[in-house]
Amino acid sequence: MLRTEGAWSFLLPGFLARQPYAMLTISIVLLVQHTTGSFGLAGAVSATAGISMALIAPQSGRLADRFGQGAVLVPQVFLHALTVGALISAALLDAPLWALFATAVPAGATAPQISPMVRARWAARLQGSPLMTTAAAFESVTDEFTFVVGPVLATALCTGVHPAAGLAAEAGVSLVGGLVFAAQRRTQPTPVRRAAAGSGGRDEATGRAPQHADPATSALAVPGARVLVAAVLGIGMVFGGMQVSLTAFTESIGRPGINGVMYGVFAAGNMLAAVAVGAIRWKRGPQARLLTAYPGLVAAAALMALTAQLGPWAVLLGALGMLVGLCVAPCMITCFTLIETLVPAGARTEAFTWLTGAVALGQAAGSTVAGQLADHSGAGAGFLTPLAGTGLALLVLLTFRKALHPAHGGLVAARGLGHRTAVPVD
């Protein structure tokens, strides 16, 4: 996979540019909790940024499909740096609560969505190749390595330098990394508008005739995409619930400095499982794998929630956090593998962004619920949030599992959105 032509030109800048994604919500939680003293309020402000990100990110992905990734990303990173600066100022100047929420909205809305853009470049390069599963696993490893580094770095900056240092670093790295990534125009997927204007042109990345989508039609027109959004929403609640619950737990035992380490252990489990998923030659299809892996995630979340109610055992909770992380990766990777087979090429960036937006929305819901539970029922109560989110998502998966199978034996054909041409496979 790494020998794919042009891969390194977007992999390295993409790795730098995606680092801030794992720093944004935890940095908001730490800053707002420091200035207000409330985990519930900190979770609510973080949730506001997450909801804004989830609602706006798919629209920016849709614009990237139509006009090109660079054309969207450059103004976005400048706006993000300005809006994060406004949020920092509002928090440090003890501005009214409405000002915190008002500044959190644009801060989340302008967060650059690098991971979906990288995934869309892989999809354009590996279209129709079995290496797409490997690419999805590789991207999950990269994402989870980000979630190993990001929370630890944000916590260290906020607790060791200044409460606002985590957010300031997030804005700075977003700006520099985003501009470097946007400069790699040769490997970006051909914009739908430009491709549609040509007559019989070929995709620059793959050399194939491009598969087009009507720019006016959303990727969510595909029923299976909506089911995957619900599944990833539950995974997002695991991330959000774990962030706030671990923060409250480490505060309750008088060791706030280990918060980033415990969340990093959870993310490390996710990363290790992603390596395994990418290395295995799977004989079962992704639909069957998802319906097998998701109940395991629910069971792991239930075990951690039960343990958290019994006692403040940091080492045991850390080990169970790794177990939850090990169960997250197979579900997440399979969702991203499936979405690539369900939607047409011209809507890929939007489709990937819907999934990452659902993660952000789940994080927002998870951090809000976990924060309220931690404030009113104790630190251990917050760990019930991942269980509730994944349990509801599993119910949706089981009810609408037939929608996860592409129509016509694997060819994408979704109400005029385009289709894949069948090719022989060795």
Side-chain angles (χ1 to χ4, degrees):
M1 183 197 69
L2 294 177
R3 290 195 295 267
T4 302
E5 182 183 358
W8 287 103
S9 68
F10 64 83
L11 276 182
L12 293 179
F15 178 77
L16 172 66
R18 78 175 73 193
Q19 295 305 309
Y21 187 82
M23 299 172 64
L24 180 61
T25 53
I26 187 66
S27 295
I28 292 175
V29 168
L30 293 172
L31 174 61
V32 176
Q33 193 277 329
H34 172 81
T35 57
T36 65
S38 169
F39 283 108
L41 182 58
V45 175
S46 176
T48 300
I51 292 171
S52 178
M53 183 192 305
L55 295 178
I56 301 300
Q59 310 311 316
S60 68
R62 195 170 182 178
L63 290 173
D65 281 327
R66 188 173 183 185
F67 298 105
Q69 293 180 359
V72 174
L73 191 56
V74 171
Q76 189 175 37
V77 293
F78 280 105
L79 287 173
H80 184 63
L82 291 173
T83 54
V84 168
L87 175 57
I88 293 173
S89 299
L92 295 180
L93 294 175
D94 292 326
L97 294 182
W98 65 263
L100 292 177
F101 289 101
T103 52
V105 170
T110 56
Q113 300 295 311
I114 302 298
S115 180
M117 292 184 179
V118 174
R119 292 176 187 273
R121 294 187 188 215
W122 276 125
R125 292 276 163 175
L126 300 175
Q127 183 173 315
S129 167
L131 285 175
M132 265 308 301
T133 298
T134 306
F138 180 84
E139 286 304 306
S140 184
V141 171
T142 307
D143 283 340
E144 294 319 311
F145 183 75
T146 298
F147 276 96
V148 171
V149 175
V152 176
L153 177 60
T155 302
L157 289 171
C158 290
T159 59
V161 179
H162 190 276
L167 269 182
E170 186 275 338
V173 177
S174 289
L175 179 61
V176 175
L179 291 177
V180 173
F181 180 80
Q184 314 306 313
R185 295 181 180 273
R186 186 176 65 87
T187 55
Q188 73 174 355
T190 304
V192 174
R193 187 181 63 170
R194 188 198 312 166
S199 55
R202 306 184 79 79
D203 191 297
E204 296 174 3
T206 64
R208 297 187 180 94
Q211 299 169 349
H212 306 308
D214 181 356
T217 305
S218 170
L220 288 186
V222 181
R226 298 194 292 269
V227 177
L228 293 177
V229 166
V232 175
L233 185 67
I235 296 174
M237 290 193 70
V238 174
F239 291 133
M242 291 287 284
Q243 280 184 348
V244 174
S245 298
L246 288 174
T247 302
F249 172 74
T250 54
E251 288 276 357
S252 71
I253 63 174
R255 302 182 65 187
I258 68 170
N259 171 47
V261 175
M262 291 191 69
Y263 192 82
V265 168
F266 158 72
N270 201 345
M271 183 176 66
L272 292 172
V275 172
V277 171
I280 294 173
R281 284 179 172 268
W282 295 101
K283 295 182 179 180
R284 303 179 69 189
Q287 295 85 0
R289 297 203 307 269
L290 181 60
L291 293 174
T292 301
Y294 218 96
L297 174 59
V298 176
L303 182 59
M304 187 166 194
L306 176 62
T307 304
Q309 312 311 309
L310 299 178
W313 302 313
V315 175
L316 181 56
L317 282 178
L320 291 174
M322 175 170 276
L323 175 62
V324 173
L326 288 169
C327 295
V328 165
C331 301
M332 182 77 84
I333 292 169
T334 308
C335 286
F336 277 99
T337 303
L338 274 171
I339 198 76
E340 194 271 336
T341 68
L342 293 173
V343 302
R348 281 195 190 122
T349 305
E350 182 200 350
F352 289 135
T353 312
W354 272 113
L355 294 191
T356 56
V359 173
L361 185 59
Q363 282 182 311
S367 61
T368 300
V369 174
Q372 295 296 327
L373 289 173
D375 276 347
H376 296 98
S377 303
F383 291 100
L384 294 169
T385 305
L387 173 60
T390 53
L392 290 173
L394 177 61
L395 181 61
V396 173
L397 273 177
L398 294 176
T399 303
F400 301 102
R401 59 187 179 277
K402 291 184 179 179
L404 299 177
H405 294 270
H408 307 297
L411 302 182
V412 175
R415 300 176 184 170
L417 286 177
H419 64 278
R420 295 186 186 279
T421 303
V423 295
V425 177
D426 186 351

